[in-house]
Amino acid sequence: MNLGVRWTLHGDGRTPAPGAVVRPDERLSWPRTAGLGAQHVVAMFGASFVAPVLMGLDPNLAIMMSGVATVIFLLATRGKVPSYLGCSLSFVGVAATIRATGGDSATVTGAVLVVGAVLFAAGLAVRHFGARIIHATMPPIVTGAVVMLIGFNLAPVTAATYWPQDQWTALLVMLFTGLAVVCLRGFFSRVAIFLGLIFGYVLSWALDRIFGQIHSPAGGGEAVDHWRLDLSGVGQADWIGLPSFHAPSFEWSAILVALPVVIALIAENAGHVKAVGEMTGDPIDDKLGTAIAADGAASMLSTAVGGPPNTTYSENIGVMAATRVYSTAAYWAAAAFALLFGLCPKFGAVVAAIPGGVLGGITVILYGMIGLLGAQIWINAKVDLRNPLNLVPAAAGIIIGVGGVSLKITDNFELGGIALGTLVVITGYHVLRAFAPTHLKEPATREEPLLDSGTSSYDDDTTR
C-alpha cells in the first residue's frame, strides 16, 4: 500500500533549478527538508497558538495535536495533498459563546468533536457523490454569509474582554500588526500576526518596567491592579512533560452552536485543495472528499483528548507558493517539530502568558479578517447582492449571527447567534429559491434588482 512516505531526491538535493518545483513525492536533502519543516511550524504559529488561547484550551496540546493531525492527513491523502493542519480559528466564536452560557472546556471540545464527526461524514459523502454535492447544498452566497457571521460574531469578545484590559497596548499592537501585514513582503508578511504578538509581548514587559501595574479589568472581570505581563507561570512550568488532557462532554445547546462551522470548514478545505492543485499542477480534485474526511477524523481525535479542532492552513500554502517546494517530506518534518514543542510545558506557559491587551490589538484585525473572508468568497464567485434571492437570506442571517439574536423555543432550549444565523441563511436561501420566479434564479434574464448599483456605476464612468 502506497502511503506517500517515499520520496525521490530532487536534483542534487540542494537548490531547485530556476523555474523548477519540488513535487510532493520529491524532497531536498534531509537537513534542508528539516529546515523547511521548521519554517512551516513558524508559519502556523501565528494562528495555531493564538486560537487555543482564545478558546481557553491548552496551547501545548494544541501544537502537539496539530502534528498528529498533519500525520493523519498526509497518510489519508497518500501524500498527494501537501498541507499542514493547525488549530482552526473558525471555532473561536463558538467557544466564546459556549463559555458565555456556562460551558467549560469539556463542553467546548465535546461540541467540536461532534462537528468533526459531521465533517468526516461530509467528506465521505463528497467522495461518493462528488464535489457537486457541495455546490448544490452550499452555494457561495451561503458559505460566504456563514463565514462572515462567524467572524463578526467575535467582535464583542474583543470589545468586552481583551481591549479593556489595556487599551493603549491594544491600539499600538493593532497599528504595528496592520503595518506588518501591509508593508512586509514574502514570508514575513505571512507571519505578521506572530510578529504582532512578539511586539505586544515586549511592549507589555517594557510598560510594566516603566509605569508599573495597570488598573483595569482582568479577563473581563472587575478592575484590579495587575501586571500586564505575568510570567510567574513560566518559571513554575517544567521543560519536559505531557500537556493536560481532558475528556469531552456533550450538551445539545453547545453542539447546535458549533455545527454551523462545518460549512466554513468545508469551504476552507475546498479552497485549499484547489489552491494546492493549481500550484503543483496535479489534478487533485478527486482528493477533496478524502481531505475533508481526514480533517474531520483528525479533529475528532484531537478533541477526544481535550485539544482543539484542526483544519488545513493557508499560511503554509503561502510558504509553498513562496518556496516552490511542495514536498510532503517537509510536512512530516513540521509535524515532528510540533510534537516536540507540545512536550514542552514551559513553551505553553509562555503562550498562555500573552497579555489581554495584546490579544485585543491582534483580534481586532484577526476577527475582522475572518469575517471578511466571507466577502472574498462572494467576490470570487461574483455573487450579485442586488438579487433579492441572495440578499435577503444573507442579510437576515448575518444580522442574527452578529447581533446575537435569539429564538426561545422552550424554557430549556434556545437558538441564537451563529446557530440561528446559519439556519436562517441555509433554509432561507433554499426555501426562497423554491418559490422564487425564474428571472431571479437566472441572473442573465433578471429584470429589476432590489437595490441599485450604488457607487459601482462610477467605476464605469470613462468621461470623468
Side-chain angles (χ1 to χ4, degrees):
M1 180 183 293
N2 179 22
L3 296 178
V5 293
R6 293 183 179 181
W7 306 273
T8 58
L9 190 66
H10 177 88
D12 60 2
R14 296 182 179 179
T15 305
V21 300
V22 180
R23 298 176 60 81
D25 59 351
E26 296 179 329
R27 65 170 177 85
L28 299 177
S29 65
W30 285 116
R32 287 173 174 77
T33 297
L36 286 166
Q39 184 171 333
H40 278 299
V41 171
V42 172
M44 66 89 175
F45 262 19
S48 206
F49 74 43
V50 175
V53 171
L54 298 177
M55 294 173 68
L57 301 176
D58 184 354
N60 268 73
L61 183 58
I63 296 298
M64 187 174 76
M65 293 311 296
S66 75
V68 174
T70 300
V71 169
I72 292 173
F73 186 89
L74 294 174
L75 290 174
T77 58
R78 303 290 193 268
K80 300 294 185 181
V81 187
S83 288
Y84 191 92
L85 268 65
C87 182
S88 175
L89 284 163
S90 298
F91 288 93
V92 172
V94 166
T97 301
I98 293 173
R99 291 184 182 278
T101 56
D104 56 12
S105 294
T107 311
V108 171
T109 52
V112 177
L113 191 153
V114 175
V115 173
V118 174
L119 185 64
F120 177 76
L124 296 181
V126 172
R127 282 190 62 181
H128 182 73
F129 296 105
R132 63 182 182 276
I133 190 175
I134 296 179
H135 304 306
T137 57
M138 294 181 297
I141 181 61
V142 170
T143 55
V146 172
V147 171
M148 186 175 292
L149 70 85
I150 287 173
F152 292 158
N153 178 266
L154 297 167
V157 177
T158 295
T161 302
Y162 297 125
W163 191 279
Q165 293 186 45
D166 189 352
Q167 60 177 2
W168 296 111
T169 294
L171 179 63
L172 292 173
V173 170
M174 181 193 72
L175 294 174
F176 176 89
T177 305
L179 287 171
V181 171
V182 174
C183 298
L184 296 181
R185 294 289 181 269
F187 173 74
F188 290 104
S189 68
R190 300 189 181 279
V191 294
I193 299 295
F194 179 65
L195 297 178
L197 287 171
I198 294 176
F199 170 79
Y201 217 99
V202 174
L203 176 64
S204 297
W205 176 85
L207 292 176
D208 280 342
R209 303 286 80 75
I210 297 172
F211 299 107
Q213 292 186 328
I214 186 173
H215 185 79
S216 68
E222 296 294 328
V224 295
D225 291 331
H226 63 94
W227 297 107
R228 297 170 180 83
L229 178 62
D230 183 2
L231 297 175
S232 58
V234 177
Q236 299 170 4
D238 297 326
W239 281 101
I240 300 175
L242 289 173
S244 58
F245 300 96
H246 70 257
S249 65
F250 303 95
E251 296 182 12
W252 275 112
S253 58
I255 292 171
L256 289 173
V257 169
L259 276 176
V261 183
V262 169
I263 297 173
L265 295 180
I266 291 175
E268 195 171 42
N269 272 277
H272 289 172
V273 169
K274 185 175 180 62
V276 171
E278 290 177 350
M279 286 191 301
T280 61
D282 293 329
I284 59 174
D285 288 349
D286 60 323
K287 294 293 183 182
L288 176 58
T290 302
I292 294 173
D295 190 345
S299 293
M300 290 170 64
L301 177 61
S302 177
T303 51
V305 297
N310 293 284
T311 187
T312 52
Y313 256 35
S314 59
E315 289 88 343
N316 297 92
I317 294 175
V319 171
M320 288 193 296
T323 61
R324 298 175 66 82
V325 177
Y326 310 123
S327 172
T328 54
Y331 283 106
W332 278 91
F337 283 124
L339 288 170
L340 292 175
F341 274 117
L343 296 174
C344 179
K346 196 172 288 291
F347 163 77
V350 171
V351 174
I354 298 173
V358 177
L359 292 176
I362 291 293
T363 54
V364 162
I365 295 176
L366 192 61
Y367 292 171
M369 289 171 64
I370 295 172
L372 289 176
L373 286 176
Q376 188 62 47
I377 292 174
W378 288 344
I379 293 171
N380 291 341
K382 298 180 180 179
V383 173
D384 186 359
L385 291 178
R386 295 175 299 168
N387 185 340
L389 179 57
N390 294 329
L391 180 65
V392 171
I398 289 172
I399 290 299
I400 288 173
V402 174
V405 176
S406 62
L407 184 65
K408 189 172 183 179
I409 299 174
T410 69
D411 291 340
N412 300 318
F413 183 68
E414 183 176 295
L415 274 176
I418 295 174
L420 182 59
T422 300
L423 187 64
V424 167
V425 173
I426 296 176
T427 59
Y429 174 80
H430 287 290
V431 170
L432 289 174
R433 185 172 180 82
F435 291 97
T438 303
H439 73 273
L440 293 181
K441 300 177 186 179
E442 303 295 337
T445 61
R446 192 165 38 79
E447 296 174 357
E448 189 68 26
L450 183 63
L451 299 180
D452 60 33
S453 58
T455 57
S456 61
S457 61
Y458 293 113
D459 297 332
D460 300 324
D461 187 354
T462 57
T463 64
R464 296 172 69 246

